[in-house]
Amino acid sequence: MKALVWHGKEDIRCDSVSDPRIEQPRDAIVRVTSCAICGSDLHLFHNFIPAMLPGDIMGHEMMGEVVEVGAGVDGRLKKGERIVIPFTIICGDCDQCRRGNYSVCETTNRKKHLADKVFGHSTAGLFGYTHLTGGYPGGQAEYVRVPFADATHIKVPDSLSDEQVLFLGDIFPTGWQAAVQCDIQPTDTIAIWGCGPVGQMAIRSAVLLGAKQVVAVDHLPERLSMAEAGGAITINFDDDSVIERLNELTGGKGPEKCIDAIGMESHVTLST
């Protein structure tokens, strides 16, 4: 099959590689029908994150059709079903998964000892994102092996297109979590710094969660236009004082909550 393969700093190639195969009973093989390039992939491209090795397959935002399942999937996933594959690989059984803390699943990082040494505590296994998170091949490929596939999937009805659901794997939940952590109230003004992909999802999430006003701060016209289309009041920091405009919009008291969406994947919520 063809896949996007990391060969070193700023060296990613479309190579022919071996097709994935079932390795464990809870595996599934998925034919990838859509995938995306995440801003976090740029960290790997520039070699900012350690423990990538030449030959590693990129990609953690993907979806497709199940073409094979292992014996341990037990009917929870069937050949022919369409699924979105989340970035985070989860077992669904460990204490952290039962608590809903899927990003720190205690089972799926098969190279946990490396992550414990570098991070102090292991994350869950992640697709296509270094050997610190398990060294799992990613989904910027024609096919991908999904470990713990009975838990690591979101089923997609035929009535929805790939374009409507692909972002459920990573980018939309990232923006949604930032907005949820703000504990948005109907009287709140939410200010969002940065209108890149994560910021756009945070904007729409804050609107859906019922904020009184959502204010988006950036300086790129195309981003500000998209933010406005998503329901935000926009501030171009090249043209206006952000503080003055926020005071005008809030009667001088400032926004109740802020989201920092400037980093590729970072989302920090602050109370003011």
Side-chain angles (χ1 to χ4, degrees), residues 142-159:
E142 292 182 272
Y143 294 89
V144 62
R145 180 178 77 92
V146 181
F148 300 92
D150 50 329
T152 305
H153 72 267
I154 304 165
K155 291 186 181 180
V156 178
D158 290 337
S159 59

Side-chain angles (χ1 to χ4, degrees), residues 3 11 19 24 32-33 47 59 92 142 160 167 178 182-183 232 235 245 248 253 256 269:
D11 184 3
D19 289 357
Q24 300 292 335
V32 177
T33 56
N47 204 25
E142 292 182 272
L160 296 176
F167 292 158
C182 283
D183 187 26
I235 300 175
R245 283 287 289 128
E248 288 174 8
K253 67 176 183 177
E256 280 76 18
T269 60

